[in-house]
Amino acid sequence: GSRMKANMPKQFLDLKGVPVLHHSLNLFLDRLPEYAVKNGVSGPPFVVLVMDPKYQPDYQPIVDKYGGRLAFANPGEERQGSVENGLNKLVEVSKGGCVYVAVHDSARPLVTIQEIEDVVKDAKDCGAAVLGVPCKATIKESEDGSTVLRTIPRARLWEVHTPQVIKIDTLQRGFAKVEAENLEVTDDVSIVEALGEPVKLTLGEYTNLKITTPEDMDVATAILEERKSAPVNMLA
């Protein structure tokens, strides 16, 4: 929340009348399952919400509404700990019945059903896939933070988004390797990279932005208005 100049995590800030987080919950719990039924494909059977315990009581009514399809997991000290806790909870609630996991950052409220469909397809083909877009900006590398060391060729650079979709047993093996070798990883597919296994880049949309600054909220609001998105009400 610091870069947002807010006194709460950005996921709880208001976007079109509801917290940012609710847009992702609505997508994975309502809109995506409805789309799956209409198109004869399987939607996400379970959603795990990794959330600080102090906020969980506020979200218990939503968990109750979805009758076992939504469960809490507690965060870890770092991102990979939070993902591992969420993965363990998914394996528990699904009784080992899920083959893939889609890890999504709830600060990205604008991902589309088409993007999810594409990245899931690529993960099924490859074992792991991540949404991303080619970098548009020129990237400079600096060692000291004040002078340019070199310009990195932009043609080879991608900005990665979420969801990142990975076969569960692959991610479990990756977590074991990361822990055994004390590796530092920056995102979920980096764990797959550490195993030496391929990760498919799925072309996404530049609109799948991460809410980081107050200006991002203005852009997200404009995108939702342009899409004429239906109002979100997780307790309706």
Side-chain angles (χ1 to χ4, degrees):
S2 57
R3 277 182 285 181
M4 290 294 300
K5 301 182 177 67
N7 59 1
M8 67 177 75
K10 53 185 174 265
Q11 290 86 347
F12 300 124
L13 297 177
D14 186 278
L15 176 61
K16 291 285 287 180
V18 297
V20 169
L21 164 62
H22 288 209
H23 292 271
S24 294
L25 289 176
N26 173 251
L27 173 62
F28 285 96
L29 289 164
D30 293 329
R31 293 198 291 123
L32 196 54
E34 288 169 8
Y35 173 88
V37 168
K38 286 179 183 176
N39 289 273
V41 295
S42 58
F46 301 99
V47 175
V48 175
L49 181 57
V50 180
M51 175 178 276
D52 189 314
K54 72 180 179 182
Y55 297 111
Q56 290 179 14
D58 294 334
Y59 280 77
Q60 189 62 51
I62 297 177
V63 171
D64 294 341
K65 173 187 172 182
Y66 286 92
R69 287 177 51 215
L70 177 62
F72 289 125
N74 292 336
E77 290 186 11
E78 302 291 342
R79 176 194 166 96
Q80 70 191 55
S82 295
V83 173
E84 188 168 16
N85 290 350
L87 179 65
N88 290 339
K89 177 58 71 170
L90 175 63
V91 171
E92 176 190 324
V93 298
S94 69
K95 297 180 172 59
C98 289
V99 178
Y100 293 88
V101 59
V103 182
H104 185 57
D105 185 343
S106 63
R108 293 188 184 273
L110 300 173
V111 67
T112 65
I113 288 175
Q114 185 62 59
E115 286 177 288
I116 294 172
E117 192 172 31
D118 291 345
V119 74
V120 168
K121 179 182 182 300
D122 283 346
K124 287 183 174 180
D125 290 341
C126 187
V130 56
L131 281 173
V133 291
C135 276
K136 293 191 289 187
T138 297
I139 307 296
K140 304 285 188 183
E141 182 180 356
S142 173
E143 283 187 329
D144 59 10
S146 62
T147 57
V148 172
L149 177 65
R150 68 184 178 114
T151 301
I152 301 174
R154 184 171 56 192
R156 300 176 61 184
L157 298 179
W158 281 61
E159 174 187 318
V160 296
H161 297 168
T162 66
Q164 303 190 4
V165 184
I166 306 167
K167 206 168 185 179
I168 288 175
D169 68 345
T170 302
L171 192 53
Q172 289 172 324
R173 286 188 291 109
F175 277 129
K177 182 179 178 68
V178 166
E179 185 173 350
E181 300 180 17
N182 197 28
L183 301 177
E184 187 173 327
V185 293
T186 54
D187 68 352
D188 314 305
V189 292
S190 296
I191 297 172
V192 181
E193 293 166 38
L195 291 170
E197 299 186 17
V199 176
K200 173 70 174 175
L201 280 168
T202 303
L203 181 62
E205 302 284 348
Y206 287 97
T207 51
N208 186 15
L209 59 85
K210 182 172 181 176
I211 302 292
T212 307
T213 67
E215 292 76 19
D216 293 333
M217 293 290 280
D218 295 335
V219 174
T221 299
I223 291 170
L224 289 172
E225 288 176 350
E226 184 179 345
R227 290 177 179 174
K228 296 181 170 55
S229 300
V232 172
N233 184 350
M234 294 308 300
L235 287 172

